[in-house]
Amino acid sequence: RRKSNMSRAAWWYVGGLLFSIPLLVAYVDIPVAQFIHDNSNYGTEFWGSWLEEIGKSHWVLIALVVVFGFTVRGRTQVARGVAVVFSAIALSGIAANVVKVLVCRSRPPLYFSDHIFSAKLLAFDINYIWNSFPSGHATTGFAIALAGEYVLPKYRVLYWIIGLLIAFGRVLYNVHYVSDVVGGIVLATLVTLFVIRLDQRYGNRINKLGRSAK
């Protein structure tokens, strides 16, 4: 596992991404959404829907639970890594859903149908069309990338490809604005860094308990 180097680098881009969100809302979101809308075709619809399906967190979480069940007794170190990835995805997903109903931002389809581009702060609206920010899929994708890189840095390229594709797919499918995806990246980073910090602090103790229980 990588230590705190990844965490230090992540804090730099978190600050940059947070700063970029208002600029994206003001100057990028609508032009990109309009471009995707005007150039939508079978290919964009197909890949957008496919990336949407593989980016659904419940599929990943179910797979991780299965792997954890097979490794928790005999391979404590592997189970610990699985727990890190599971926690990063699950907690960031919960956080994303909470923020969604607090911000209540309209999705691109509402802009094209009714020319609505706004947010209803603290409206607690759980309607899908008003739950655009942040992107839950982008949150899942980057939780996979960051936690996966921490647990198995040898395959970091694969994890980042998966994370970027899932995030890019939300814009390609025109169900999220660019700033929604960036918001999901920020949230995933913050939650995953928190999970990694907990693992670095308490993970070795869990390993010792696992070995002593054999």
Side-chain angles (χ1 to χ4, degrees):
R1 288 185 174 85
R2 301 183 70 185
K3 297 300 182 182
S4 58
N5 291 337
M6 186 182 73
S7 299
R8 294 194 193 98
W11 286 117
W12 281 101
Y13 82 69
V14 163
L17 291 177
L18 279 173
F19 179 78
S20 75
I21 289 176
L23 299 176
L24 293 172
V25 172
Y27 301 108
V28 176
D29 283 352
I30 290 180
V32 170
Q34 187 68 60
F35 178 82
I36 297 294
H37 179 75
D38 293 342
N39 294 277
S40 178
N41 53 48
Y42 173 79
T44 59
E45 291 290 322
F46 172 81
W47 287 109
S49 62
W50 188 78
L51 290 170
E52 178 179 59
E53 192 62 32
I54 68 170
K56 290 180 178 178
S57 60
H58 59 266
W59 298 124
V60 183
L61 294 175
I62 290 171
L64 290 171
V65 168
V66 172
V67 175
F68 184 84
F70 280 107
T71 59
V72 65
R73 292 188 178 181
R75 304 180 66 182
T76 308
Q77 189 71 12
V78 175
R80 173 183 165 186
V82 171
V84 169
V85 179
F86 180 95
S87 299
I89 295 172
L91 293 177
S92 62
I94 293 170
N97 286 330
V98 170
V99 176
K100 282 175 182 289
V101 298
L102 293 176
V103 175
C104 295
R105 187 190 188 188
S106 59
R107 291 181 184 265
L110 200 54
Y111 174 78
F112 297 113
S113 64
D114 300 299
H115 212 67
I116 295 175
F117 179 71
S118 63
K120 304 184 297 184
L121 294 177
L122 301 180
F124 301 100
D125 193 337
I126 61 173
N127 191 331
Y128 169 85
I129 203 68
W130 285 99
N131 290 163
S132 193
F133 184 91
S135 165
H137 278 69
T139 304
T140 295
F142 270 73
I144 292 172
L146 289 165
E149 179 179 357
Y150 169 72
V151 172
L152 284 175
K154 178 181 178 181
Y155 301 104
R156 66 172 67 91
V157 174
L158 174 62
Y159 301 135
W160 280 101
I161 289 174
I162 293 172
L164 288 169
L165 284 175
I166 292 173
F168 172 72
R170 309 314 288 153
V171 177
L172 182 68
Y173 208 29
N174 226 356
V175 291
H176 279 291
Y177 294 105
V178 174
S179 61
D180 299 331
V181 171
V182 172
I185 293 171
V186 170
L187 188 58
T189 301
L190 294 174
V191 172
T192 304
L193 289 179
F194 172 73
V195 171
I196 289 173
R197 185 63 58 87
L198 290 179
D199 178 72
Q200 291 174 341
R201 180 171 295 183
Y202 302 109
N204 289 329
R205 300 179 189 177
I206 295 173
N207 282 350
K208 291 178 181 178
L209 288 173
R211 286 192 294 267
S212 64
K214 293 180 182 179

